[in-house]
Every structure is written in C-alpha cells, then in structure tokens.
Amino acid sequence: MTGDCQGYSPPPVIAYLDKAGAVLDSIPAELDDRDVLIGLYRAMVLTRTFDQKAVSLQRTGRLGTYASSLGQEAVSVGLGAAMQASDVLLPAFRDHGAMLWRGVTMVEILQYWSGDERGSDFKGPREDFPVAIPVASQTTHAVGVAMAFQLRGEARAAVCVLGDGATSKGDFYEAINACGVWKLPAVFVINNNQWAISEPVSMQTAAPTLAQKAVAAGIDGIRVDGNDVIAVRHVMERALEQARQGRPQVIEALTYRLGDHTTADDARRYRDDAEVSTRWQEEPVLRLRHYLVGRQWWAKTDEEALIREVRAQVDEAAEAYLALPPQPATDMFDYLYAALPPSLAGQRALLEDAHG
Amino acid sequence: MAEITLVEAVALAQARAMRDDPSVLALGEDVGKDGGVFRATDGLLAEFGPARVRDTPLAEGLIAGMAVGLAAQGFRPVAEIQFMGFVYPAVDQIVNHASRLRNRTRGRLTCPMVLRMPTGAGIKAPEHHSESMEAMFAHMPGLRVVIPSSPARAYGLLLAAIRDPDPVIFLEPTRLYRAVKEEVADNGEAAALDQCFTLRGGSDLTFVTWGAMTRETLAAAEALAGDGIEAEVIDVATLKPLDEASILESVARTGRCVIVHEAALTGGFGGEIAALIGEKALLSLAAPVRRVAGFDTVVPLPRMEDLYLPSVERILAVARETVRFQ
C-alpha cells in the first residue's frame, strides 16, 4: 500500500447499518429511537427533494449553477443534527442538508444559487457562515470562530465542512494545525464523496485515508460511513463533545457524489456508469428506510404521506422564491462598506439613474 | 509628550486600542515575546497576556483567515504580516472573504479587522522584503488601504483603522519605521480615514504622494522653494477609498501635478490618480500630469535599491519640467 505510515493504523470506519440497512453493530440507545430516526429520515428526504427541485429549476432557466448533494444527505443531515443551535457552521457549497436542519430556509438557498446575495442573510442561524466557494478557504475562518468561543469561555464549537479535494489545500493543514496548537473547539468534517470534479481521491493523495491527515496536526482523526446517518450523527456528537473540551477533531465521512459536480458538469465524461450504479446500492436514504421498515417504524403509507408533504413544502418554497421582488440594483453599493465612501457616490448614482 | 518613532507609534496605538476595547486582539508570527520582528507589538504581551496577543504558526493564509473568523464573531483582530512580500498567501482570504463578508451577507456578518504589514524598500533587507504592492489592495472592492507617513499619523490612523467597521489594510513604510521621531500624544484620538493630509501648502504645483516617499517629495518641495516655486504636498494616506475632492481642489488651484510613489510605474496607484485628474480636472491643467515612480522592475537586492527608489533629484527634474511646461 502506498502512503503506509510507520506505526500508524488508519482508524476503522464506524458504521451501524450495512448497505442494505441491516444492523452491523448495536446502535447507541439514544439514537435507536423511532422519533429520532424518523426525524433524520425526513430531513434526508426533504434535502433530496429540494435538490431535485433545484436541479429542475436550473434546467428550466430559473436558477443559476447549482451544486447538488444527491447521495450525500446523510453526512449533511447527520452533522447538522448533532450540532447545538449555538454552534457555528462553516459550510462548503454542498451542505444543504445541514443548512436546512439549522434553519436556513429553502428560499434562502435558492436565492443564493440564483445570484441574489440576500440568500446569505440567513434569518435563522445568524452566526453561521455563508457557503464558501474557494475550496478550503473556510477552514481558517473556523479557527477564528473557535478561538472566539475559547476566548469568551463559551461551550460552543465551530463545525467546518470540506470536500476531499479541499484536503489537498494548504489552508486545511494550516487550520487543523492551528486548532491542535491552541486546543480549539472545532470539528472538521471531510465530506469524502470520492470525486473533486473529475479527479478521484487517488489523484488528491497517496495516503490511504484522509482522516490520517489529522495525525500531522496532532489531533484526532476519525472515519465514519457517510451513508449511515446514524453513524454520522453519533460520531459527530462525540466529536463535538471532545471539541468543546479542547480536543479538535477531524472526521472523514465516506460517501459518494451520485450526481454531477454541479449543473454545469457532466460526470459521464470522467466516470463509469457502472461505478455510479454500484454506488446507488449504498445510498443513505434507502439504507435508513430499510432499517425503519425492518423495525416496523415505517410503512408504505408513511412514505407516501412524507413524499406528498415534502413535495408540497418544496413547491411552496420554489413558488415563494420565484415570486420574490428583485433586489434593488443599488444594493451592490449599499452593503460594501458600513457607510458609502464619498468617492463611490458618483458610481452609485450612475447605477441608480440607469436601473434605480 | 514624548518623541517617538513610527514603529513605536504603531505599538502605542495598538496598546491604546486594546486598553480601550477588550475585543481588540493582536496576532501574527512573533508578535508576542519577540514584540514583532520590527517591535511593532512591543510590550503588548506583557500588558495584555497571551489570550489577546497571540503568536501564530507560520502561515499567512491562516493569519488572515482566522482574523476573518474572529472579526465575524465580534472581535477586532489586528493581524501582522511580517513583510509585504509574504502577504500573497493571505490575499485569497482578503479578496475572497475579508473584503466581501459584509456585502455577501447583506451586513449579517462583518469583518472589522486590520491587516498590518511593513511595505517598501530602503532598509537593505533581503530579497522579497521590499515590495510596494498597495495598488493590488487598492484594486479590491470593499477594503480600506491606509498608509501613514509620520509617527503621529501612524498613531491616529491605526487607531481609526482598528475602530473602523470594515477591513483595513494598514501599510507601514519600513523605511520610516525609525527614520524620524515626532511628538505623539497618546490621547486616544483617531485621525480621519478616507482623507488626504496637506503636508505643505503651495500655489505653483501639486505633489501627490504617500508613505515613505513623502520625505523625498517634501525635500524636493523645499528645493523648489529655493527657486521661488511653491509646491503643495498632499499625503494621500488612505488610498482606498480615495479622497478625490482634496486632490482635485489642489490641482484646480495649482494647475500642475506630479505624483510620486515608489511602487512600479505601470499599473501603480499613481495611474489611478492621473486618470482621476484627467477625467475631472482636465481643464484646470496647465501641464500634463506626470508620475515619478519605481521602475517596472523587480525591486533590486540592497546594493541597487537606492537606484530603484525615486530620488529627490528625479522628482525635482520632473517637477521642473512640469512647472516650465507652457
């Protein structure tokens, strides 16, 4: 094996459900609860339904380029569900499940991807960061946020999500290294969906795991089955507890990007259909449904009712989004500085005259 | 009132800001025990402790990025980059995040941070320690770019920068760190941002300059006075947003303008000011606007840096041509 480290064994992949939803290991009692699991299931179904709607809005020219989270709902929902409301999320651009769980609205997410900055003015989680597009750039913000919590003696944590490609950037190492030095309350979740646009993980690193990158920062690295929402939520809760006690954590969540990188991408150019078909057998929504059905906690009628409900919710959000009045053109000046500098007044007036 | 150097004024302003406001933090490589490689944070660790005066790992992207995170959480980080030549890894954070956070969140999150760094040549420093890249930052929407030219202005402008609700790039002319001493009252009074300072009045010619080049420019103005030519010297101080009114008012009065900066000529901020005058004061001009700048070369290693920097003689030659122009 390449990248073998002397004396280092990669951590095991924590999972409770196998690909078919059968129990692999005894599920922690507090999570093996009908209401808890149905809550996670509903959030994953909502995320997937929202994704489908967003893609169809893009395909019909009513949304800009969009990054779908198809297949990765368990990572996003699992980490979001484990966070406290007072924690701060620093998302990458595919974390709709966590954002929705934390109270960012579907309308706001659609607004953002349609090119309307008001979508990042979350009415819900006011301290959460907006989506970070430059890959890994949000990792260092998490250091500052976690340091703020540490300085104020608050039992809060910064949760930063990044992709597998982001682990190739220096920012990621700089951030986890600093968190190790200062024992900051931060959790970094690597959403390892196997593909950074067209490049597989094997092009990002010769290390056998991404979790082991934490070793060089002197902090804990954990691996979890990212298609098992129970495992993600459990691992994330433990990681947050550790982080709040000054032990920053890196979690590698193993999942798969079933869709294209974005609506501007065509993954068939670089990826075999056979590989994708295989991965559909492991996807997280069906996996949890199988478990719920097996426990007799979920029936066909429940599923039908849920689908009706989330579709109505998503359709309503889409209609509300489409009905939004455009932002005033002068908004591009009005939020640039706390007060408009006199030297920009002329430019603003020019725009106002043309498009006021 | 004590006479202090510019670098002492920088430390004084930070200490004052930290005393006045517990949300102000100092961070950067060697800012703690060492007091900064130039001593610009000298004494801060002893007074405010390691929670507020933070030695960071050697990682400029981290320094700028964590400052964004701290600022978004309501702190006012004052981050030091040891030399401007090392700021490039931090530029991603400045252009993509610090300068845009308020705008992209419609004011929900803001970024009241200061990124301080020495700028410019003239102290015989090694390679990569002498750059003047102010135009790069001045080109970035959402930033303030401030550069003081004396100890008193360094004190007042840094206090203003720290109190400003938006991100400020604070450039400290290395050549001036210890070149002069000036009386600075530690009275907590900020100087005005976004405003030029007139260092010398005159009716025959307007010099527009900033940072370390104010010294050579003032010397040139004195020499011209010996010829009976009275030159006004404007210290821009805040390059962005630019105080257009003060520059245009002066040029309208004198009809002649020479812009002096040590950054490379092409794409330098002097071109921006010349364009401004061309657009808004053309009919006041009695002569073409001229620029005296560093050459379009890499700042040379120390043996030749004096040849690179605009000298009093180079400034005088261009100023005399401008005054003689009919």
Side-chain angles (χ1 to χ4, degrees):
Chain A
M1 182 191 282
T2 55
D4 213 7
C5 302
Q6 286 179 349
Y8 174 77
S9 320
V13 178
I14 299 168
Y16 295 107
L17 299 181
D18 73 6
K19 291 173 190 173
V23 176
L24 284 169
D25 199 352
S26 57
I27 297 172
E30 71 279 11
L31 291 182
D32 201 18
D33 173 279
R34 184 180 185 280
D35 292 344
V36 170
L37 294 187
I38 287 176
L40 295 172
Y41 183 70
R42 293 173 69 94
M44 288 199 293
V45 171
L46 176 68
T47 303
R48 184 167 293 185
T49 309
F50 171 75
D51 248 351
Q52 287 163 345
K53 186 73 183 183
V55 171
S56 81
L57 286 169
Q58 191 280 332
R59 296 290 184 233
T60 50
R62 292 175 293 172
L63 194 72
T65 301
Y66 176 75
S68 154
S69 64
L70 182 65
Q72 300 162 60
E73 295 87 352
V75 179
S76 205
V77 167
L79 75 91
M83 291 172 69
Q84 301 290 319
S86 60
D87 296 333
V88 164
L89 178 69
L90 299 101
F93 44 77
R94 212 186 289 288
D95 299 314
H96 318 305
M99 292 169 73
L100 289 170
W101 186 285
R102 290 182 58 72
V104 179
T105 67
M106 287 185 273
V107 173
E108 286 167 343
I109 297 176
L110 291 172
Q111 254 181 312
Y112 173 76
W113 290 102
S114 76
D116 180 342
E117 284 87 353
R118 291 176 298 185
S120 291
D121 183 8
F122 310 148
K123 300 295 175 287
R126 298 288 291 168
E127 293 178 61
D128 281 8
F129 268 59
V131 161
I133 298 293
V135 166
S137 62
Q138 73 277 27
T139 56
T140 54
H141 306 162
V143 178
V145 170
M147 183 175 282
F149 298 157
Q150 187 187 62
L151 284 166
R152 292 192 294 246
E154 297 170 341
R156 304 167 70 186
V159 175
C160 182
V161 195
L162 58 147
D164 37 293
T167 63
S168 300
K169 298 262 290 187
D171 300 36
F172 169 63
Y173 173 69
E174 291 181 18
I176 60 174
N177 182 59
C179 286
V181 169
W182 291 317
K183 301 177 171 41
L184 296 179
V187 178
F188 296 85
V189 182
I190 302 165
N191 189 334
N192 181 358
N193 69 13
Q194 314 300 323
W195 290 92
I197 308 189
S198 70
E199 294 194 8
V201 177
S202 59
M203 289 282 289
Q204 302 296 335
T205 180
T209 76
L210 298 177
Q212 73 194 69
K213 295 200 172 200
V215 175
I219 67 177
D220 299 330
I222 306 159
R223 301 183 90 200
V224 64
D225 185 334
N227 285 357
D228 177 351
V229 70
I230 303 173
V232 174
R233 173 157 171 184
H234 179 66
V235 163
M236 187 67 195
E237 272 168 352
R238 279 199 320 199
L240 282 162
E241 280 167 24
Q242 294 291 313
R244 290 195 186 96
Q245 289 164 30
R247 285 179 64 108
Q249 308 277 304
V250 169
I251 298 171
E252 177 186 8
L254 292 150
T255 184
Y256 192 80
R257 191 191 81 209
L258 289 170
D260 297 326
H261 169 67
T262 66
T263 50
D265 175 46
D266 177 5
R268 289 172 303 182
R269 287 175 65 88
Y270 51 80
R271 205 165 64 171
D272 288 341
D273 287 348
E275 175 186 314
V276 182
S277 304
T278 307
R279 294 293 195 152
W280 266 105
Q281 310 305 313
E282 306 172 5
E283 65 97 352
V285 177
L286 195 60
R287 184 179 303 196
L288 183 58
R289 191 195 308 158
H290 283 319
Y291 178 72
L292 293 173
V293 170
R295 290 292 302 256
Q296 298 186 318
W297 284 347
W298 197 248
K300 196 177 172 205
T301 49
D302 297 316
E303 182 71 16
E304 286 165 356
L306 175 63
I307 295 293
R308 273 197 305 277
E309 182 191 324
V310 295
R311 280 198 184 143
Q313 235 180 307
V314 168
D315 287 345
E316 190 186 337
E319 279 164 32
Y321 149 70
L322 291 168
L324 283 173
Q327 52 185 345
T330 44
D331 264 21
M332 75 171 82
F333 285 97
D334 294 344
Y335 295 94
L336 191 60
Y337 296 94
L340 187 75
S343 59
L344 288 185
Q347 292 181 27
R348 188 186 182 282
L350 195 68
L351 181 73
E352 195 170 22
D353 288 348
H355 303 283
Chain B
M1 242 185 331
E3 287 211 334
I4 58 172
T5 62
L6 192 150
V7 71
E8 288 166 340
V10 166
L12 196 66
Q14 286 179 97
R16 165 62 72 156
M18 292 180 78
R19 244 172 261 141
D20 290 351
D21 179 354
S23 71
V24 178
L25 311 172
L27 55 110
E29 295 153 23
D30 308 305
V31 300
K33 266 191 183 169
D34 201 29
V37 288
F38 284 105
R39 309 291 173 258
T41 53
D42 203 23
L44 298 184
L45 178 67
E47 183 172 353
F48 301 103
R52 293 183 65 195
V53 183
R54 188 77 64 137
D55 276 325
T56 66
L58 203 168
E60 287 81 7
L62 165 75
I63 292 169
M66 67 186 275
V68 171
L70 283 161
Q73 273 292 317
F75 283 94
R76 288 181 177 263
V78 183
E80 176 175 296
I81 300 291
Q82 277 183 351
F83 288 91
M84 196 172 202
F86 305 152
V87 77
Y88 304 108
V91 169
D92 178 22
Q93 288 296 334
I94 299 304
V95 67
N96 282 323
H97 293 295
S99 66
R100 299 165 60 119
L101 196 60
R102 174 189 294 281
N103 188 65
R104 61 201 292 257
T105 63
R106 307 282 94 176
R108 178 173 62 84
L109 298 178
T110 62
C111 198
M113 62 179 276
V114 176
L115 198 68
R116 301 179 28 246
M117 69 198 86
T119 183
I123 61 156
K124 310 293 182 210
E127 194 177 8
H128 306 296
H129 287 64
S130 307
E131 283 62 33
S132 294
M133 296 301 292
E134 67 270 19
M136 175 180 72
F137 288 112
H139 188 61
M140 297 177 187
L143 291 183
R144 281 195 156 68
V145 181
V146 176
I147 179 164
S149 65
S150 77
R153 271 185 296 283
Y155 176 86
L157 289 170
L158 183 53
L159 274 181
I162 295 169
R163 293 170 188 166
D164 191 83
D166 292 310
V168 179
I169 305 297
F170 195 81
L171 305 173
E172 297 161 8
T174 324
R175 192 147 48 96
L176 297 189
Y177 262 156
R178 295 189 172 82
V180 286
K181 284 192 168 190
E182 187 178 27
E183 286 196 345
V184 177
D186 184 17
N187 54 13
E189 278 180 26
L193 295 176
D194 308 352
Q195 198 172 295
C196 297
F197 295 90
T198 302
L199 305 185
R200 186 184 192 286
S203 54
D204 300 325
L205 170 73
T206 301
F207 279 120
V208 178
T209 187
W210 52 89
M213 288 314 303
T214 52
R215 292 190 79 201
E216 286 77 5
T217 306
L218 281 167
E222 288 305 317
L224 288 174
D227 302 345
I229 299 162
E230 289 303 325
E232 187 145 298
V233 177
I234 290 180
D235 171 9
V236 176
T238 303
L239 272 69
K240 176 143 190 179
L242 184 63
D243 170 10
E244 299 182 354
S246 293
I247 294 170
L248 293 171
E249 183 279 321
S250 175
V251 173
R253 206 157 22 76
T254 64
R256 297 170 201 267
C257 182
V258 173
I259 302 157
V260 185
H261 62 68
E262 73 171 82
L265 179 75
T266 300
F269 200 69
E272 185 58 40
I273 293 172
L276 169 75
I277 295 168
E279 283 182 0
K280 298 190 176 170
L282 183 68
L283 300 181
S284 308
L285 290 177
V289 175
R290 297 284 301 275
R291 290 173 291 165
V292 185
F295 299 116
D296 284 351
T297 63
V298 171
V299 182
L301 292 179
R303 287 198 184 194
M304 290 207 298
E305 70 180 356
D306 289 343
L307 302 176
Y308 170 91
L309 288 168
S311 61
V312 176
E313 292 70 30
R314 272 173 67 194
I315 299 167
L316 269 177
V318 172
R320 287 188 170 125
E321 285 172 18
T322 302
V323 171
R324 279 198 297 266
F325 185 90
Q326 293 290 327

